[in-house]
Amino acid sequence: MIQVQLKINEKDYTLLVKEDEMLSYTLRERLHLKETKVGCDQASCGACTIWMDGTPISSCITPTLKAVNKKITTIEGITSGPQLHQLQELFVKHGAIQCGFCTPGMVMTALNFVNNNPKCNLEEIKESISGNLCRCTGYKKIIDAIAEYAGIYRKQTSSIKGASDNHTVIGKRTPYIEAEKKVRGIADYADDYIIKNALVCKFLRSPYPHAIIKSIDFSEAQKLSGVKYIAVGKELPEKFGVLPISQDETAMAIDKTRYIGEIVAAVAAETETIANEALQKIKVDYEILPAFLNIDDSLKTTDCFIHQTSAKHKSNVHKKAEIRIGDKEKSFNESTIVKDLTVTFEGISHGFTEPHACTAYWDENGVSIITATQVPHYLQKALSKTLNIPLYKVRVIKPYVGGGFGGKSDPFAHEIIASYIAMKTHRPVRVCFSREEVFLTNHGRHPSRINIKIGTDSNGIIKAIDGNMQIDGGAYGSFGVVTTYYNGSLLQGPYKTDYYGYSSARLYTNKPQCGAMRGHGGVNPRFVTECVLDDIAHQLKMDPCELRLKNLLPPGTTTLGQFRITSNGLKEALTSVMEQARWTERYGKLPYGHGLGVACSWYISGSLLPIIWNEYPQSVVHLKLDFDGRILLTSGASDIGQGTDTLLPMIAAEVLGIKKDIIQVVMADTLLTPVDLGSYSSRVTFMAGNAAKAAAEKLRDEIITCVAKRKELVKEKLRLNNNEIVSNSGEKICGWQEAVDITLSQRGAISFSGWYISPKVGGDYKGAGAGLSPSYSFGAAIAEVKVNPDTGEYKVINFYGAHDCGKALNPLAVEGQLEGSWHMGLGQAMSEQMKYHEGHLLSNNFLDYKIPTALDTPEIYTNIIESKDPEGPFGAKECGEGALHPSIPALSNAIFNAVGARVTQLPITFEQVYNAIKANPQLAKTSSL
Amino acid sequence: MTDKKYLIPKTSAEAVKLFTQHENSKYIAGGTDLIVNFKQNNIAFQSLIDVSSLPELKTITANEKELTIGASCTLQEIAGHDFIKKNLSILKEAALSIASPITRASATIGGNLLCENRCVFYNQSDWWRESIGNCLKCEGDICIATGGKKNCFSKSSSDMAPALLACNAEVSIQTEKGTKRISAEQLYSGEGVYPHTLKAGELIVAIHIPIVAQQFFYFKLRQRQSIDFSSLTIAMSYQKDKSLLKIGIGSADPKPVYWEYKINGETKFEDDVLQKVKKIRFVENDYYSRDYRKDILLLQLNKQYQKFLNTK
């Protein structure tokens, strides 16, 4: 260690540091300056960007000693007073902040660039932030904010199509309530909490994909001074898993290990260094078993099973599903055109920028854990089960979460282990994953091989849709059973058909487990379906948009599998993007190498049925009114960057006719908030939104009743408007505080509970519940590409998207969700893949796992379609997942349109396009090299 | 174990002296390659000698004959330099194609020339490499990319190198005994495990690029337009008056490959290229296949050759 002086944000610090320590570590761990975030720890994501002598640097790879005698500026240092910097204000205003984890680094990069290049243009701005990855926004709103700061005019490319209404809060572009905290870097994420005296927990991971653990010897590790606890699998034998039907996982491997990277032992020590040293001293004796590394391996007949439950299949099948509705043979026989396509898909990671992190502690209430989770409730259940303590002894606290996208929705081994060691040692236990560990924890989109066959008549009317899917689940169940069904059940829309059916199988393989990721289960089959429809249109010489328009399910209908369609704005969505992309004018008329492609989709707006069956409501929201006039809104719903903490008070304020800052929130803490099933399946706006609305209506009626009684007026003639009780004619009866005083007179604070229970709808066949939702969202997308037919290189130049979200309660947030979804879809389409070599994950960092940068992202045109759902809160339904689906096939169809080549493997790399063109020599018509 | 050291010399001569005085030293300039490798335990050091601020390594000067770039000039400085933009635009293009803007603000030209060779099986955490069985480049005994060969084929990953080679650049090097000047090509051994020829303590101080009338072509194959290392880098310069083509290829072979082609010579360009490309040791150590990278290389070279011929 060496004593150094550092000048950070004009303040001098004298401290001891290690000679090879990095600046991000010094800032966060030694000085507790947690505004600087660390996303990848190897300079590939930009989250940790700060300035050294005015130059942006990646603080995660800058030795602290390099900073001696230099001026360090973090996000805290860009303003001197309480005011935000103008660029920070613009980030807030434009909705450039969702999860907020990349925000401080993004602001530091952008501010430095614009200040040094005041005459910059839009392209240069994109270039300047191309080393800062954002997984939430698709960069559009970030670029909007920076462009305004730089004084650059930016074309308006967003629209809302819907009937006007006279809401005062709802429908207004509203920055997140916590946006200022996030843009300052002071919103606390799981690893930003400073909990005194915490142990650091590190994990020993399996180097083998499939091996029997013969023995674990940690005696040498235990001798190290500072090692407080070493845990191994047999201490936590209770199985868990997010679905009650496939609980096949233990916190650590017990008898055998099933993937490279599985946790075999855990060390909790006084410091990270000691914990790592102890890991080196643990000796594990393995006996290697045959490994099953892909779909074909696991389909083979064998007597070696990853899980014994597969024995009945005589292969490593985890789950099979088959549903057929209608007459398959007849419908295909009646079709004049039958086309099919098989596509293979690599696995996809959620790629949230905040690594998994948690701190667990033990006190008189039992175990508490602050953890980056989307679903506190299921973690609470898993902790109770695995630690064998009552549910009321488990408190899960969700801090600000740096993105989830499904990847923080399972209960995780590290959360169980940290809680267990806290329980054992009565010391707080802290875990923060490396980026490699995040990738190894996976739970991402399944690698898949999918065949879709579609039959139509000679007019392009769909007669039959049939699917055959094999999905590579990895070593454990996670959400996999649901994924197996979703892969097929979402084929029954958004088009009418006489027959739909599928047979799908999920395989166990010796790789990190797959689970739910944005657009869960529907994304890959949608890709193939939309490609096949395009092929059919091509053969019929029909405009692919026209073919789709002919087949759309109308609103107020029921699908073959008895999914109830209420509102449906798909026709408006498709025609909107057609118009915007000048489709009719340009499609088929562009030069070789330049193409347009279209696709449509739909998605559930909340799973109608809970994962763990119960008779409770799906969501509950509490409102408490006290003497100070403040309303406390509590809900278990988890804001992970999508804006729930802002949305629920907006809904309540709209109902109550009061200013929204009167309503303050405490969210997602199982001690303090009513249970909510969590942020998954795009359920929160619909379900928690309805619950908030119901609670607010009760509170409003109570206030009006009390005021009417006191003032001897007829309550039906009173309403709340703009913080006042007014008569129907608009005459002020009393102000908000007086109304509160009257309402609470002689009894004090009051609470109301609102809840949402989903309607009883759907079929009664096996699997009828998979994909069942109280409502469905719909969307359409057109991608425009330019392809170099010689090399296969291509660039998406424009992306036109439209999504029917029922009603945009907060248009700023809705646009953000849509733009982020489309961007994430394009990532899967263009460059992202979980690439393995013999079970070893190659792409385990942000350099090799290629999330598109600002330069790879096209100009995005955002269209919100409002179909006003009859059951959604103020007509709203989901917008966070459904939009992702059409972006991938739209791109593939655009490439097909540009060069006539159909790529059947994702991601569609330049090499794939090159090979597809080469395989078809008559295609290479012209060169644009 | 003794404490590590972080040393900041004032001159390049002092830097070399410090290097030799201390055990297991490494020079650090921007550190953008070094530290990532250090974190992955691909390299170890006891002392870091920071050469990023040596005044003599921070200047860019030009006369009619040559441009001299101090080794610690950042890629951002190079890309923004007026003389370079005007006369040696290929250096700007190459610099701007490297990593991301944040990295280019501290990464230096000297550091980029000595960027460690890369391979998808090598640039991983030490836990990962140990799990798969250490390869030749991390003291193991076989190459994983080729499934067992006894040679390391890690790719030279500098994008500045092919561009500088195509400009016939030279480098001056501070040694214990003084300075020496060698061609940039001589920096590279062609071996994957130890790809550089500099001896312990030798420090690149400057890069010299002759100024001649020439046209350029630069191409970098990568999946994303930022952050990514190259899957294939092509740098060409064409001296019309001498009917001379100079070609530098990066991210293909363990060393940056260089050759010259005399137009109107005995061999046809296409045939010559085929011969040269055959000798490049492409292996499956990239996200793009060996075949694709080879095809693109041939295609781009032949196309560009025609384009050069057709220029007035």
Side-chain angles (χ1 to χ4, degrees):
Chain A
M1 302 276 274
I2 179 173
Q3 183 176 306
V4 294
Q5 284 180 316
L6 295 175
K7 195 176 194 68
I8 303 164
N9 301 327
E10 301 295 329
K11 198 172 153 191
D12 291 311
Y13 294 85
T14 304
L15 71 158
L16 286 173
V17 299
K18 279 196 199 161
E19 287 77 358
D20 59 0
E21 165 172 327
M22 298 303 142
L23 201 43
S24 59
Y25 182 89
T26 307
L27 291 171
R28 290 181 57 82
E29 299 302 320
R30 298 208 190 274
L31 299 172
H32 291 170
L33 298 173
K34 300 269 190 174
E35 311 88 61
T36 301
K37 312 298 176 194
V38 176
C40 72
D41 215 22
Q42 57 172 31
S44 308
C45 79
C48 69
T49 306
I50 60 173
W51 303 342
M52 190 162 77
D53 277 349
T55 300
I57 55 163
S58 299
S59 59
C60 72
I61 59 156
T62 302
T64 302
L65 292 179
K66 222 179 200 318
V68 174
N69 296 326
K70 305 220 164 118
K71 222 175 105 184
I72 298 300
T73 312
T74 72
I75 189 92
E76 190 193 347
I78 64 170
T79 46
S80 47
Q83 280 297 312
L84 290 180
H85 186 279
Q86 189 199 348
L87 180 60
Q88 288 175 306
E89 277 175 3
L90 290 167
F91 264 61
V92 173
K93 172 185 140 187
H94 283 280
I97 303 154
Q98 288 186 31
C99 86
F101 198 79
C102 77
T103 308
M106 190 71 81
V107 170
M108 294 307 281
T109 303
L111 183 60
N112 188 273
F113 175 75
V114 180
N115 286 354
N116 287 319
N117 301 276
K119 288 179 182 161
C120 60
N121 62 37
L122 215 51
E123 271 314 301
E124 288 165 344
I125 286 175
K126 286 184 193 171
E127 218 279 332
S128 78
I129 57 162
S130 69
N132 294 72
L133 295 177
C134 169
R135 191 58 156 172
C136 296
T137 63
Y139 306 105
K140 182 174 172 181
K141 298 195 180 306
I142 291 172
I143 296 164
D144 284 345
I146 304 169
E148 186 175 334
Y149 177 64
I152 299 170
Y153 168 74
R154 184 141 148 89
K155 190 170 63 176
Q156 176 61 35
T157 53
S158 303
S159 82
I160 301 183
K161 290 201 171 96
S164 64
D165 41 39
N166 48 13
H167 300 311
T168 55
V169 183
I170 289 304
K172 304 284 179 291
R173 303 172 71 80
T174 311
Y176 290 172
I177 54 173
E178 77 285 8
E180 181 171 333
K181 256 195 281 185
K182 285 179 173 173
V183 81
R184 286 182 190 276
I186 56 170
D188 284 333
Y189 298 83
D191 196 50
D192 295 344
Y193 283 80
I194 297 155
I195 293 185
K196 57 181 184 288
N197 211 21
L199 297 171
V200 178
C201 184
K202 292 275 160 187
F203 304 104
L204 184 71
R205 293 173 181 276
S206 167
Y208 300 112
H210 201 191
I212 292 170
I213 299 170
K214 292 168 76 179
S215 65
I216 302 179
D217 174 4
F218 53 83
S219 52
E220 288 302 309
Q222 223 162 10
K223 287 179 196 158
L224 270 182
S225 158
V227 171
K228 289 295 160 190
Y229 199 89
I230 298 179
V232 293
K234 64 182 179 203
E235 291 172 71
L236 286 162
E238 193 65 45
K239 287 186 173 174
F240 72 97
V242 68
L243 303 180
I245 39 171
S246 67
Q247 302 215 326
D248 53 9
E249 193 178 358
T250 52
M252 287 167 277
I254 300 178
D255 300 321
K256 67 170 183 173
T257 152
R258 295 179 173 86
Y259 69 89
I260 295 170
E262 180 163 16
I263 299 175
V264 172
V267 175
E270 298 291 354
T271 68
E272 191 178 341
T273 314
I274 298 170
N276 282 329
E277 206 182 318
L279 290 179
Q280 300 286 331
K281 292 183 185 291
I282 300 176
K283 294 186 200 85
V284 186
D285 192 11
Y286 293 101
E287 182 187 321
I288 294 167
L289 294 169
F292 302 87
L293 298 175
N294 54 48
I295 290 169
D296 289 324
D297 283 355
S298 294
L299 282 171
K300 278 184 201 137
T301 304
T302 181
D303 54 6
C304 176
F305 303 108
I306 297 169
H307 293 274
Q308 267 314 316
T309 47
S310 293
K312 60 179 185 236
H313 298 289
K314 297 190 171 62
S315 64
N316 277 295
V317 168
H318 168 216
K319 169 75 189 168
K320 282 184 170 176
E322 184 167 3
I323 287 177
R324 302 194 184 280
I325 300 174
D327 189 331
K328 179 180 177 182
E329 209 174 322
K330 180 167 170 270
S331 303
F332 275 114
N333 284 341
E334 284 173 7
S335 304
T336 46
I337 295 186
V338 176
K339 279 207 171 280
D340 81 316
L341 189 70
T342 302
V343 179
T344 54
F345 301 80
E346 294 286 357
I348 296 294
S349 164
H350 316 87
F352 38 74
T353 48
E354 179 213 13
H356 295 283
C358 68
T359 301
Y361 54 93
W362 181 266
D363 63 15
E364 71 279 11
N365 292 330
V367 73
S368 298
I369 182 167
I370 303 166
T371 183
T373 181
Q374 297 176 231
V375 187
H377 175 58
Y378 293 149
L379 177 59
Q380 181 186 15
K381 290 204 161 178
L383 287 174
S384 163
K385 185 174 188 242
T386 54
L387 304 181
N388 195 20
I389 52 176
L391 280 165
Y392 64 82
K393 286 278 193 187
V394 181
R395 178 182 183 188
V396 178
I397 303 162
K398 179 206 73 74
Y400 291 106
V401 174
F405 315 112
K408 291 172 180 166
S409 54
D410 292 64
F412 288 102
H414 67 272
E415 295 170 324
I416 295 168
I417 298 166
S419 302
Y420 172 72
I421 297 178
M423 187 171 95
K424 284 298 212 187
T425 59
H426 288 211
R427 290 273 302 270
V429 177
R430 183 177 162 203
V431 172
C432 183
F433 274 1
S434 71
R435 185 49 61 178
E436 182 179 25
E437 286 179 296
V438 174
F439 276 103
L440 288 172
T441 303
N442 193 16
H443 290 69
R445 205 183 304 297
H446 290 63
S448 318
R449 183 169 60 208
I450 296 175
N451 174 275
I452 302 283
K453 185 159 103 172
I454 299 176
T456 73
D457 69 11
S458 56
N459 294 315
I461 303 297
I462 298 172
K463 297 293 204 184
I465 302 177
D466 194 68
N468 192 310
M469 306 87 177
Q470 285 121 26
I471 62 174
D472 174 349
Y476 293 99
S478 182
F479 281 90
V481 171
V482 176
T483 324
T484 313
Y485 279 108
Y486 276 13
N487 255 267
S489 64
L490 292 171
L491 293 176
Q492 62 191 291
Y495 309 110
K496 286 177 287 191
T497 174
D498 295 345
Y499 159 81
Y500 117 86
Y502 66 93
S503 148
S504 62
R506 182 178 193 261
L507 293 314
Y508 279 130
T509 57
N510 293 114
K511 291 189 295 196
Q513 63 189 304
C514 298
M517 180 174 160
R518 201 176 207 172
H520 187 192
V523 171
N524 292 351
R526 175 59 41 204
F527 175 84
V528 191
T529 306
E530 297 294 319
C531 291
V532 174
L533 286 177
D534 229 52
D535 288 346
I536 290 174
H538 189 69
Q539 182 165 338
L540 284 169
K541 297 196 166 46
M542 185 185 279
D543 181 324
C545 285
E546 189 195 334
L547 181 122
R548 285 172 171 84
L549 284 166
K550 279 184 173 185
N551 286 290
L552 300 180
L553 280 167
T557 185
T558 306
T559 67
L560 280 183
Q562 294 169 59
F563 290 5
R564 186 192 60 159
I565 307 293
T566 50
S567 58
N568 180 350
L570 182 51
K571 191 176 163 194
E572 292 75 13
L574 180 52
T575 48
S576 292
V577 286
M578 284 174 70
E579 212 170 284
Q580 206 167 33
R582 294 185 292 122
W583 175 273
T584 317
E585 190 185 325
R586 296 198 296 157
Y587 180 77
K589 291 156 198 153
L590 297 168
Y592 189 71
H594 187 176
L596 290 168
V598 67
C600 296
S601 75
W602 67 324
Y603 199 62
I604 59 172
S605 189
S607 176
L608 190 106
L609 306 171
I611 284 173
I612 303 170
W613 194 89
N614 63 72
E615 289 190 351
Y616 294 113
Q618 301 259 11
S619 284
V620 178
V621 169
H622 284 180
L623 293 176
K624 185 197 80 177
L625 173 65
D626 211 338
F627 78 100
D628 47 17
R630 161 174 33 206
I631 293 171
L632 173 66
L633 184 154
T634 58
S635 158
S638 306
D639 193 330
I640 54 171
Q642 84 279 37
T644 308
D645 290 3
T646 306
L647 178 72
L648 298 185
M650 282 175 76
I651 291 175
E654 181 69 43
V655 172
L656 282 156
I658 55 174
K659 292 202 173 85
K660 66 175 187 303
D661 68 354
I662 289 178
I663 303 171
Q664 298 173 5
V665 298
V666 170
M667 305 282 273
D669 176 334
T670 61
L671 177 71
L672 305 174
T673 63
V675 63
D676 183 276
L677 299 184
S679 285
Y680 66 93
S681 85
S682 280
R683 52 179 297 286
V684 177
T685 295
F686 201 94
M687 296 180 177
N690 268 323
K693 188 161 172 275
E697 284 162 358
K698 288 181 188 171
L699 177 59
R700 178 194 63 197
D701 293 350
E702 177 67 12
I703 294 166
I704 287 177
T705 304
C706 292
V707 170
K709 199 170 158 194
R710 172 75 60 97
K711 305 269 179 188
E712 295 175 350
L713 296 164
V714 181
K715 68 177 179 185
E716 284 76 16
K717 291 187 176 166
L718 299 183
R719 59 193 169 90
L720 260 160
N721 181 38
N722 197 20
N723 271 17
E724 291 174 346
I725 305 273
V726 294
S727 69
N728 280 347
S729 56
E731 180 200 352
K732 177 176 171 178
I733 308 298
C734 68
W736 174 247
Q737 192 57 46
E738 191 186 342
V740 172
D741 291 340
I742 293 169
T743 307
L744 304 189
S745 160
Q746 303 300 317
R747 60 169 168 175
I750 53 168
S751 282
F752 280 94
S753 181
W755 57 85
Y756 173 78
I757 297 173
S758 53
K760 304 229 173 330
V761 294
D764 58 3
Y765 57 94
K766 186 172 187 270
L772 202 57
S773 175
S775 179
Y776 295 86
S777 73
F778 294 87
I782 289 175
E784 181 174 355
V785 294
K786 281 194 171 163
V787 185
N788 180 332
D790 292 330
T791 61
E793 290 170 288
Y794 67 86
K795 189 166 173 59
V796 189
I797 50 174
N798 285 307
F799 185 89
Y800 308 92
H803 189 77
D804 164 24
C805 67
K807 166 77 192 170
L809 301 178
N810 180 0
L812 200 63
V814 172
E815 286 166 7
Q817 286 300 300
L818 302 182
E819 289 151 10
S821 289
W822 292 323
H823 171 261
M824 195 178 281
L826 290 174
Q828 179 176 359
M830 302 191 294
S831 52
E832 294 177 27
Q833 55 179 326
M834 293 282 280
K835 184 100 176 155
Y836 291 89
H837 176 81
E838 292 170 3
H840 299 265
L841 178 62
L842 287 163
S843 47
N844 59 46
N845 54 66
F846 278 153
L847 185 59
D848 295 312
Y849 188 84
K850 297 182 187 297
I851 292 172
T853 71
L855 278 179
D856 305 296
T857 308
E859 194 63 40
I860 295 174
Y861 294 77
T862 314
N863 299 285
I864 294 172
I865 309 296
E866 296 188 332
S867 62
K868 285 273 191 152
D869 191 79
E871 293 177 21
F874 298 99
K877 45 190 186 179
E878 84 85 39
C879 66
E881 299 189 70
L884 188 147
H885 302 237
S887 55
I888 313 174
L891 172 63
S892 174
N893 289 340
I895 291 172
F896 179 73
N897 181 240
V899 291
R902 177 65 73 195
V903 175
T904 57
Q905 204 175 323
L906 250 61
I908 305 173
T909 62
F910 301 158
E911 181 170 1
Q912 302 284 359
V913 177
Y914 173 80
N915 289 337
I917 295 172
K918 214 169 76 170
N920 195 347
Q922 74 238 37
L923 288 180
K925 287 180 200 162
T926 53
S927 162
S928 57
L929 199 75
Chain B
M1 207 169 86
T2 54
D3 277 346
K4 288 194 160 78
K5 290 207 163 57
Y6 195 93
L7 306 163
I8 307 175
K10 293 201 168 58
T11 64
S12 51
E14 190 196 343
V16 174
K17 206 165 144 199
L18 286 174
F19 192 105
T20 42
Q21 279 169 355
H22 290 85
E23 225 172 294
N24 198 4
S25 308
K26 293 271 178 203
Y27 290 121
I28 177 170
T32 54
D33 189 52
L34 183 90
I35 298 296
V36 176
N37 273 305
F38 163 66
K39 283 191 160 187
Q40 296 189 324
N41 233 347
N42 279 330
I43 60 153
F45 56 77
Q46 195 56 31
S47 307
L48 282 182
I49 296 157
D50 188 333
V51 296
S52 62
S53 309
L54 294 179
E56 63 214 84
L57 269 63
K58 288 296 292 175
T59 54
I60 302 180
T61 54
N63 56 37
E64 294 117 54
K65 279 195 196 148
E66 72 174 21
L67 168 78
T68 298
I69 304 176
S72 290
C73 291
T74 65
L75 299 175
Q76 182 181 299
E77 286 161 356
I78 290 164
H81 194 268
D82 286 335
F83 182 88
I84 293 173
K85 285 197 273 190
K86 199 168 158 231
N87 300 291
L88 286 157
S89 59
I90 193 167
L91 300 184
K92 176 198 158 181
E93 264 195 272
L96 285 182
S97 78
I98 293 165
S100 72
I102 310 166
T103 301
R104 294 198 292 273
S106 33
T108 64
I109 184 170
N112 187 266
L113 277 174
L114 296 178
C115 169
E116 192 43 79
N117 277 19
R118 297 182 67 84
C119 170
V120 289
F121 300 100
Y122 173 68
N123 299 98
Q124 298 286 355
S125 69
D126 54 346
W127 171 81
W128 194 99
R129 296 192 311 271
E130 210 179 303
S131 302
I132 204 166
N134 288 320
C135 74
L136 288 166
K137 201 165 163 62
C138 35
E139 289 156 12
D141 44 23
I142 58 160
C143 164
I144 296 163
T146 54
K149 291 211 173 142
K150 294 284 181 189
N151 272 320
C152 170
F153 299 96
S154 61
K155 297 178 296 174
S156 160
S157 294
S158 164
D159 287 325
M160 291 310 296
L164 287 167
L165 260 50
C167 296
N168 284 356
E170 295 186 339
V171 291
S172 23
I173 290 160
Q174 178 80 43
T175 71
E176 261 183 290
K177 292 169 195 153
T179 56
K180 63 176 182 183
R181 189 159 156 160
I182 60 171
S183 77
E185 210 185 346
Q186 283 173 286
L187 283 172
Y188 305 99
S189 69
E191 268 191 52
V193 180
Y194 302 105
H196 306 123
T197 56
L198 290 186
K199 293 191 186 67
E202 292 187 339
L203 173 71
I204 301 184
V205 288
I207 294 97
H208 312 277
I209 304 111
I211 310 291
V212 293
Q214 58 196 332
Q215 297 169 51
F216 297 113
F217 172 69
Y218 181 81
F219 170 84
K220 172 167 169 172
L221 178 69
R222 53 178 162 173
Q223 296 199 41
R224 293 182 293 186
Q225 292 306 300
S226 187
I227 303 177
D228 288 355
F229 276 93
S230 178
S231 293
L232 172 70
T233 302
I234 303 171
M236 294 168 86
S237 96
Y238 173 47
Q239 282 176 260
K240 196 176 165 68
D241 56 342
K242 291 189 174 164
S243 296
L244 182 66
L245 265 180
K246 292 173 291 185
I247 297 164
I249 307 297
S251 291
D253 188 271
K255 64 171 192 305
V257 177
Y258 176 74
W259 77 88
E260 291 175 2
Y261 178 78
K262 190 91 182 149
I263 295 168
N264 304 325
E266 281 170 21
T267 343
K268 268 173 65 188
F269 182 76
E270 267 186 36
D271 299 336
D272 184 64
V273 161
L274 214 53
Q275 287 304 315
K276 296 294 191 311
V277 170
K278 248 184 203 164
K279 286 187 194 147
I280 296 178
R281 295 166 289 171
F282 277 108
V283 301
E284 300 290 1
N285 59 0
D286 188 270
Y287 280 81
Y288 281 121
S289 76
R290 169 178 187 265
D291 287 348
Y292 179 63
R293 290 154 67 214
K294 243 184 196 176
D295 280 7
I296 297 302
L297 176 56
L298 285 171
L299 210 119
Q300 292 285 11
L301 288 174
N302 285 318
K303 284 270 176 193
Q304 193 53 39
Y305 173 68
Q306 288 305 326
K307 278 198 176 174
F308 279 142
L309 285 192
N310 294 337
T311 52
K312 300 250 160 58

